[in-house]
Amino acid sequence: MAKTLAIGGYNDRDQEDLSKTFNPVFVPGPEGVAGLDDAARANVTAVAYKGHKPFGSVQMDLLPNLGLIANYGVGYDAIDVGAADARKIKVTNTPDVLNDDVADIAVGMMLCQGREMMQASAWARSGNWARNGEYRLNRKVTGSTVGILGLGRIGREIANRLAAFKMDIHYYARSEKDTPGWTYHSDPVKLAAAVDFLVVALVGGKDTEKFVSHEVIAAMGPRGVLINISRGTTVDEAALLDALEANKIAGAGLDVFLNEPDIDPRFYQLENVVIQPHQGSGTVETRAAMAQLQRDNVAAFHAGNALLTAVN
């Protein structure tokens, strides 16, 4: 019987590769664990996990011999790591391989928001360019002041890219970092007040819920633009929507939301928001690298070798 349980919406290629390597049992989500018979659940020692639904103590207790949860993605906030620790279950993730793509989409949303590229494209496609002339003037992005909220691996990649745009880079982190002259802020409200663009690159989880608070959003002011590539939970979404609708901030570029994919319909009514469907790491090359790293962790566990990217 299968020692590996694959949970989540894997594409055909990933399913094929998992099947060749581990011959796992597949279930579409964590709720599917309960549907397996006792013998199948008892045989599972490793879970390959993909998705954002909570995977916690209830699911872990249904798998009495579980020793590894290998997450597909750098963010593992869906997995209750505390519950895993209590059961001596290791958790891994897929860091670094997605840094470039996520940083690219942060910069892309910033350009789309400032230069109104999506609206300008719609203007041309609708025939307005031919009928009514040039699209309206928009906002210069190069040379702006940008704040990076969370200067981890991805935050640094974003900052490095924006340095090439001649931006004045400020950042918030739990402690001051070694940087090429970037300005450190120990208070996210003060950071938001000092910059034109605020990029959220925090880790998800309870510790960062609504970290971008009403106060942070208010401090951005009417020229402020929020870019979020972290998790929807890191932003007070109600406060953000209120500020956007009232033009208290200039706009936002968002790749992540609460209740994805059924996001608050208020977002769809706003022309000052660039919306992306949580596709920061969504390139063929990066998703393949993520899947490979997940499989490598599962393989290392089954072989009794050191895990490549353990998080606990």
Side-chain angles (χ1 to χ4, degrees):
M1 298 179 72
K3 292 185 177 181
T4 301
L5 175 62
I7 300 175
Y10 289 94
N11 63 32
D12 291 343
R13 176 60 186 273
D14 290 342
Q15 286 193 36
E16 180 181 347
D17 288 339
L18 282 164
S19 295
K20 286 180 180 178
T21 310
F22 307 112
N23 193 26
V25 173
F26 288 92
V27 295
E31 65 281 354
V33 177
L36 301 175
D37 62 45
D38 291 348
R41 288 189 278 106
N43 205 56
V44 170
T45 59
V47 164
Y49 190 73
K50 180 180 181 182
H52 302 293
K53 293 181 179 179
F55 188 94
S57 58
V58 171
Q59 291 77 26
M60 295 176 199
D61 288 342
L62 288 170
L63 302 167
N65 296 307
L66 183 63
L68 172 71
I69 305 168
N71 188 58
Y72 180 106
V74 64
Y76 50 88
D77 44 302
I79 299 168
D80 188 335
V81 177
D85 283 336
R87 292 158 178 80
K88 297 182 179 179
I89 299 169
K90 299 298 290 183
V91 178
T92 61
N93 65 340
T94 60
D96 294 323
V97 294
L98 48 66
N99 295 353
D100 284 333
D101 279 345
V102 176
D104 287 352
I105 211 160
V107 175
M109 288 194 298
M110 187 179 296
L111 290 169
C112 281
Q113 211 289 331
R115 297 304 309 272
E116 299 184 3
M117 293 170 70
M118 297 178 75
Q119 298 96 319
S121 178
W123 177 267
R125 288 175 179 274
S126 69
N128 273 322
W129 186 16
R131 288 191 301 268
N132 300 314
E134 295 180 350
Y135 183 72
R136 67 191 180 196
L137 299 180
N138 41 66
R139 177 175 180 170
K140 185 174 182 178
V141 175
T142 291
S144 300
T145 301
V146 63
I148 311 296
L149 194 58
L151 199 69
R153 296 181 181 97
I154 294 173
R156 277 190 176 272
E157 289 292 346
I158 295 168
N160 287 335
R161 283 158 172 73
L162 296 178
F165 283 81
K166 306 173 186 176
M167 288 192 170
D168 179 15
I169 296 172
H170 296 231
Y171 71 97
Y172 165 88
R174 285 175 290 186
S175 60
E176 192 166 358
K177 307 293 184 182
D178 182 15
T179 69
W182 301 341
T183 303
Y184 173 66
H185 296 260
S186 60
D187 181 348
V189 174
K190 291 181 179 178
L191 173 67
V195 301
D196 304 308
F197 293 89
L198 182 65
V199 183
V200 187
L202 298 165
V203 297
K206 292 182 179 180
D207 290 344
T208 57
E209 282 185 9
K210 296 185 179 180
F211 199 87
V212 182
S213 62
H214 169 81
E215 292 75 17
V216 171
I217 294 166
M220 293 170 62
R223 288 274 293 170
V225 173
L226 181 74
I227 305 294
N228 190 9
I229 48 78
S230 60
R231 285 287 190 265
T233 54
T234 61
V235 174
D236 184 336
E237 197 167 271
L240 175 62
L241 280 162
D242 288 345
L244 289 164
E245 289 171 343
N247 293 313
K248 291 183 177 179
I249 64 173
L254 307 171
D255 188 44
V256 290
F257 303 84
L258 296 177
N259 305 314
E260 298 171 1
D262 299 316
I263 71 173
D264 193 313
R266 292 164 66 189
F267 281 113
Y268 296 128
Q269 307 305 314
L270 292 166
E271 289 192 359
N272 57 347
V273 180
V274 174
I275 294 173
Q276 294 292 290
H278 200 156
Q279 64 128 355
S281 64
T283 66
V284 172
E285 296 85 354
T286 289
R287 291 290 173 85
M290 291 166 63
Q292 183 64 60
L293 182 51
Q294 182 187 49
R295 293 194 301 273
D296 288 346
N297 274 303
V298 175
F301 173 79
H302 285 318
N305 297 329
L307 299 172
L308 282 72
T309 52
V311 300
N312 67 341

